[in-house]
Amino acid sequence: MGSSFKRVNADNYHVQISIINHADFDQYLPNIFISLHNLYGGTLAQRVFTPPAIPRQRNGFRTNQKLSYT
């Protein structure tokens, strides 16, 4: 799993998250909930990535397959 977080301008950020299926079997695409917080614990942004928003895979999330979300 890896990620990057870059400021684009005063009001926008670019976030990229990568995950890998390390299981010995294919899995369904995951639902991913991302919540960004400031240093004081306040929520800056939240987003849910669901399988329809993630590129479709015919065989699911294959073994050792890497997915990146931007």
Side-chain angles (χ1 to χ4, degrees), residues 25-50:
F25 49 87
D26 294 350
Q27 300 184 57
Y28 291 107
L29 291 171
N31 290 326
I32 297 173
F33 174 77
I34 297 172
S35 182
L36 302 176
H37 299 267
N38 63 23
L39 296 176
Y40 305 104
T43 302
L44 297 174
Q46 294 180 331
R47 181 164 179 194
V48 176
F49 291 90
T50 58

